[in-house]
Amino acid sequence: MLTQDKKLLLIGQVKDLSGISIRTIRYYESLGLINSLSRTEGGFRQFSFDVLTRLAFIKRAQNLGLSLEEIVNILQVYDQGQTPCGDIKEKLEEKVLQIDRQIDQLLTLRSEIKGLLSGWKNVSDQHENTICPIIQNTSTLSN
């Protein structure tokens, strides 16, 4: 039993090695993203070293824009012994399309704001129920 304990990591060790907070590790466990193998007599969670690979994958997938729900689904495929690369490819292709749409929206917004600024005039008269008449009277920003 003593030999097996050396191969397992306590949650604090997982935190130190992964750079992920204990609170987040517990949250990931509650979502089923990771699993502790057992608990010590004192009730501390014990993890295999494989949890570090899994946590690194989770963080990388999040950095690429995948949601925790999407990551759960991907890891379920992996846990069933299948390679989830096809699923990941589809998700990343969807992310690229979503990013392209966001870029288009931001470019349109940028153009509208530049147009507004290019015709900017200081208005000294305060109008009732108007915060800034230049913005409020501009039809290009009323989406």
Side-chain angles (χ1 to χ4, degrees):
M1 184 69 172
L2 190 57
T3 308
Q4 184 183 9
D5 286 343
K6 288 183 179 180
K7 293 181 183 179
L8 297 178
L9 300 170
L10 296 175
I11 196 167
Q13 294 169 307
V14 173
K15 173 191 76 83
D16 292 341
L17 293 169
S18 69
I20 296 172
S21 72
I22 289 175
R23 184 176 181 184
T24 301
I25 293 167
R26 288 180 181 144
Y27 179 62
Y28 288 171
E29 186 179 19
S30 75
L31 294 177
L33 288 162
I34 60 172
N35 295 307
S36 58
L37 295 178
S38 61
R39 292 194 180 241
T40 65
E41 289 180 16
F44 294 102
R45 292 170 174 86
Q46 294 180 309
F47 297 89
S48 72
F49 275 92
D50 294 344
V51 76
L52 299 174
T53 301
R54 206 163 168 106
L55 287 170
F57 173 82
I58 292 165
K59 280 301 176 195
R60 178 68 175 138
Q62 283 183 306
N63 289 337
L64 292 172
L66 298 177
S67 69
L68 287 178
E69 183 180 343
E70 290 170 320
I71 296 168
V72 166
N73 294 334
I74 289 166
L75 289 174
Q76 285 174 346
V77 171
Y78 174 77
D79 291 341
Q80 293 170 0
Q82 301 170 10
T83 304
C85 291
D87 294 336
I88 294 171
K89 182 178 185 259
E90 286 179 26
K91 299 280 184 210
L92 293 178
E93 288 171 344
E94 289 172 19
K95 294 296 174 194
V96 168
L97 292 174
Q98 183 182 26
I99 290 167
D100 287 342
R101 285 190 297 271
Q102 289 174 327
I103 289 171
D104 288 343
Q105 290 170 348
L106 287 171
L107 288 172
T108 299
L109 178 60
R110 180 177 187 259
S111 175
E112 290 174 355
I113 291 173
K114 285 182 107 178
L116 179 64
L117 290 172
S118 70
W120 195 271
K121 297 176 189 169
N122 285 330
V123 177
S124 58
D125 296 340
Q126 185 169 352
H127 302 285
E128 191 175 322
N129 296 325
T130 304
I131 297 169
C132 179
I134 296 167
I135 290 178
Q136 288 173 292
N137 294 332
T138 303
S139 60
T140 58
L141 289 178
S142 60
N143 284 333

